[in-house]
Amino acid sequence: MTVIPYLHPALLAFALPLVYAATADQWRGRSIYQVIIDRYALPDGADPNQCPPGTRTWCGGTWNSLRQNLDYIQDAGFTAVWISPVSQNYEGPTTPYGDPYHGYWIADASQLNARFGTSDDLKNLSDELHRRGMYLMVDVVVNDVMATSITPIYLHICSKSSNTTSEERCWLGDTVVPLADLNTEDPTVVAGFSSWIQSLVKEYNIDGLRIDGKCRHVNIGFWPVFCSSAGVFCIGEVFGSDIDDAPLYQGPNALDSILNYPMYTALLNAFTIPGPQNASAVTDMIAQEATKFKDPTLLGNFIENQDIPRWANLSVDPQSLYNVMVFNFMTDGIPIVYYGQEQGFSGNSDPYNREAMWPSKYANTTTYQLMTTLNQFRNFLVNNTQWATTPTKVLTTSPYGIATLKGDCVSIMTNIGSPPQNVSIPAYTPYLASTSLTNVLTCQEWTVGSNGTVNVQYSLGGVPVVLYPTTLLQDSGLCGNPDTTGSTKDAARPFIVLLYLFFGVIISLEHSRALGYVTAYCDSAGIISVMSC
């Protein structure tokens, strides 16, 4: 008897072939949920009350407990999961910096981390992700090991400074936790790493690698050899906002992609509250990345990870989070959400940004509903149009936000926050007057005004707006349209109610015939109405 595995309907279009090696082009259309294995989900019987992040110790999450809790990630529409490093870590007494629960203090790359499970457990996680049509991305550490002895041919011994030679050749850590720098210029080291990563990817059907260890701390010529041996998509960490330095690490002589720290810095400048609220920083960065990066559509978009403060620690207004999430999902690049972002986690830097997930009870929050809608819409665009490879264009920049066009989608993001303001953001779209657009976040229909104008007003607060031609939403599964797999779930509706109940918005469009406005608003009962002004 032939057994056909179940595949979640929303992910049918992402079904994998029997060989799981995934290319950069295949990753471009994915969205990634990042987890720290120890902190995402507990196995049955574990104590859920013993994981204060400040203790920097083990809490008990495993590959199996992640596998058993994938529904939460898949139901949000994510098509890939990035997990922490799988290699054996330091196993000695607790250090003054805690235990290696995070997985980054590598002791033996060739062995698995027994704290997270067995070889079969990791294979089962990989198989389950593939059964669901999802990709597995594994974090790998190449730059350093946690040293207990020093062999000079393999290790550089010196202290790091700000110059490139020092960054590539010297140690991280200190005498308490010495992270000895591997000599990735030595042919023996290069051959060893190449053989190891090839075996790891093949053994566990890994689809992509996120490369830790600060990619600029390894000689750049190492990466093409390493990633070619892996045979899968490689995205690296190039920490820092330098827009001239970061692009050096993407391309045929480097990596497929990097995490987009330059854009992250621009988003902080534009959207944090309190903050500079300099929206032009984002416009400028879009322009620079378009000319300096080999392919901006492959860059990793994020606003949180294990190395930086949570967004809610930096910005007090939830609307700033909603707007910046829309930017990361609806412009060039691969959106990455760090576990707990959707639960409002607010830890500062390491270790407080590595909270346990289970106290949240994996709640269906407003932010979870927003990212579910964004994922469903983005997946629809990726599977049915050339959206993923179409460059983002800026339609408008104002002190209050930015409007972009990618493919046929207009996104309008504001930095004004929740309080009402008597301001507006006009967007000059390529659409003809009277064209019907739908805000996929609220399912409200809009009519384009004369000269293609869409004008957003914020007299009840600043929510993001994502507009798409109404006739093109057929078969999307959004806003009352059936999807191509027959599912009738409408991901936008829960977000509509909460969005309007708690924040509200008056959204105005120039009406091409009456030269007035069509305004959507929500009354005290949460009922959406439309009126002409």
Side-chain angles (χ1 to χ4, degrees):
M1 180 178 68
T2 300
V3 178
I4 300 175
Y6 168 77
L7 190 63
H8 193 283
L11 299 175
L12 278 171
F14 288 105
L16 292 170
L18 294 178
V19 178
Y20 298 114
T23 65
D25 188 57
Q26 290 170 310
W27 272 96
R28 181 185 286 106
R30 298 276 157 167
S31 61
I32 302 171
Y33 191 83
Q34 179 195 355
V35 302
I36 292 180
I37 289 292
D38 185 68
R39 300 299 166 87
Y40 177 70
L42 282 178
D44 293 340
D47 186 348
N49 301 311
Q50 297 299 318
C51 192
T55 61
R56 303 187 184 198
T57 193
W58 302 98
C59 294
T62 65
W63 295 320
N64 273 341
S65 59
L66 169 60
R67 177 177 56 81
Q68 293 161 355
N69 290 274
L70 286 175
D71 284 351
Y72 173 85
I73 301 172
Q74 185 182 27
D75 288 348
F78 288 98
T79 52
V81 177
W82 156 12
I83 65 172
S84 39
V86 301
S87 296
Q88 179 182 308
N89 271 226
Y90 164 74
E91 295 180 342
T94 298
T95 77
Y97 301 149
D99 296 307
Y101 65 90
H102 40 71
Y104 292 101
W105 293 350
I106 305 299
D108 186 347
S110 69
Q111 302 296 314
L112 292 181
N113 192 331
R115 286 275 190 172
F116 298 153
T118 66
S119 175
D120 284 343
D121 294 338
L122 184 55
K123 288 177 181 177
N124 289 338
L125 171 61
S126 178
D127 289 347
E128 179 60 22
L129 284 166
H130 292 143
R131 187 183 70 84
R132 294 166 180 255
M134 303 170 76
Y135 281 175
L136 171 63
M137 175 175 282
V138 172
D139 213 323
V140 295
V141 180
V142 174
N143 177 65
D144 52 66
V145 294
M146 187 164 175
T148 56
S149 64
I150 298 172
T151 306
I153 189 172
Y154 295 112
L155 306 171
H156 293 300
I157 309 168
C158 52
S159 60
K160 288 191 180 289
S161 66
S162 60
N163 70 78
T164 300
T165 300
S166 174
E167 285 184 332
E168 290 182 358
R169 297 180 60 85
C170 301
W171 284 32
L172 289 171
D174 53 28
T175 57
V176 177
V177 178
L179 299 177
D181 186 79
L182 291 164
N183 184 0
T184 51
E185 297 170 7
D186 185 277
T188 304
V189 174
V190 175
F193 265 123
S194 296
S195 176
W196 163 70
I197 197 61
Q198 186 177 58
S199 297
L200 185 75
V201 167
K202 181 178 179 181
E203 181 74 9
Y204 298 104
N205 287 329
I206 296 167
D207 306 294
L209 303 175
R210 181 269 185 181
I211 299 171
D212 187 68
K214 315 299 186 288
C215 290
R216 60 162 56 95
H217 295 164
V218 174
N219 55 297
I220 199 166
F222 172 86
W223 296 121
V225 178
F226 180 80
C227 292
S228 176
S229 298
V232 296
F233 176 71
C234 289
I235 182 171
E237 177 188 24
V238 180
F239 197 96
S241 60
D242 189 336
I243 186 56
D244 293 314
D245 178 62
L248 300 177
Y249 294 86
Q250 187 194 35
N253 298 318
L255 298 160
D256 294 312
S257 174
I258 64 169
L259 298 175
N260 198 347
Y261 273 95
M263 184 60 76
Y264 165 70
T265 302
L267 293 173
L268 290 178
N269 287 334
F271 289 102
T272 51
I273 300 173
Q277 297 188 291
N278 177 19
S280 63
V282 174
T283 301
D284 178 63
M285 190 58 64
I286 290 173
Q288 290 200 62
E289 291 193 343
T291 60
K292 295 180 179 180
F293 276 103
K294 180 178 181 293
D295 189 348
T297 68
L298 289 173
L299 300 177
N301 298 338
F302 67 94
I303 55 169
E304 294 184 4
N305 62 40
Q306 77 281 5
D307 293 325
I308 56 178
R310 297 279 190 174
W311 186 266
N313 185 272
L314 301 172
S315 187
V316 300
D317 194 305
Q319 285 296 347
S320 72
L321 172 64
Y322 302 155
N323 279 273
V324 79
M325 285 179 67
V326 165
F327 181 90
N328 275 355
F329 274 84
M330 300 312 304
T331 59
D332 293 346
I334 303 168
I336 303 171
V337 172
Y338 182 48
Y339 82 100
Q341 176 180 311
E342 74 283 5
Q343 297 295 335
F345 286 4
S346 59
N348 201 332
S349 299
D350 173 16
Y352 300 102
N353 58 357
R354 302 173 179 187
E355 307 95 319
M357 183 69 169
W358 43 91
S360 73
K361 302 187 185 300
Y362 310 91
N364 186 21
T365 63
T366 302
T367 312
Y368 181 89
Q369 293 162 12
L370 171 61
M371 71 183 187
T372 301
T373 301
L374 290 172
N375 265 326
Q376 184 174 358
F377 182 49
R378 187 177 184 276
N379 291 342
F380 167 73
L381 295 174
V382 167
N383 293 328
N384 294 279
T385 73
Q386 299 300 310
W387 180 88
T389 55
T390 303
T392 295
K393 298 179 180 179
V394 176
L395 299 178
T396 304
T397 305
S398 85
Y400 312 113
I402 180 174
T404 62
L405 177 72
K406 183 173 173 69
D408 293 315
C409 182
V410 175
S411 300
I412 305 169
M413 291 75 60
T414 181
N415 57 17
I416 68 170
S418 300
Q421 293 198 37
N422 187 26
V423 299
S424 64
I425 299 177
Y428 303 97
T429 77
Y431 295 112
L432 298 175
S434 300
T435 299
S436 175
L437 305 178
T438 295
N439 182 358
V440 299
L441 302 183
T442 64
C443 297
Q444 194 69 35
E445 289 194 19
W446 294 48
T447 303
V448 176
S450 59
N451 300 316
T453 304
V454 173
N455 192 57
V456 184
Q457 295 185 341
Y458 300 104
S459 55
L460 288 181
V463 299
V465 173
V466 179
L467 299 172
Y468 197 65
T470 302
T471 57
L472 299 183
L473 275 177
Q474 295 177 14
D475 300 323
S476 67
L478 289 158
C479 300
N481 291 282
D483 65 23
T484 55
T485 63
S487 171
T488 58
K489 179 180 178 182
D490 189 339
R493 288 297 172 187
F495 184 67
I496 298 171
V497 175
L498 287 171
L499 190 68
Y500 278 95
L501 277 175
F502 294 113
F503 298 103
V505 63
I506 288 182
I507 306 168
S508 300
L509 285 168
E510 183 179 352
H511 193 286
S512 60
R513 287 167 293 190
L515 297 180
Y517 287 94
V518 176
T519 303
Y521 70 97
C522 183
D523 65 18
S524 60
I527 305 300
I528 299 171
S529 304
V530 179
M531 65 180 182
S532 295
C533 302

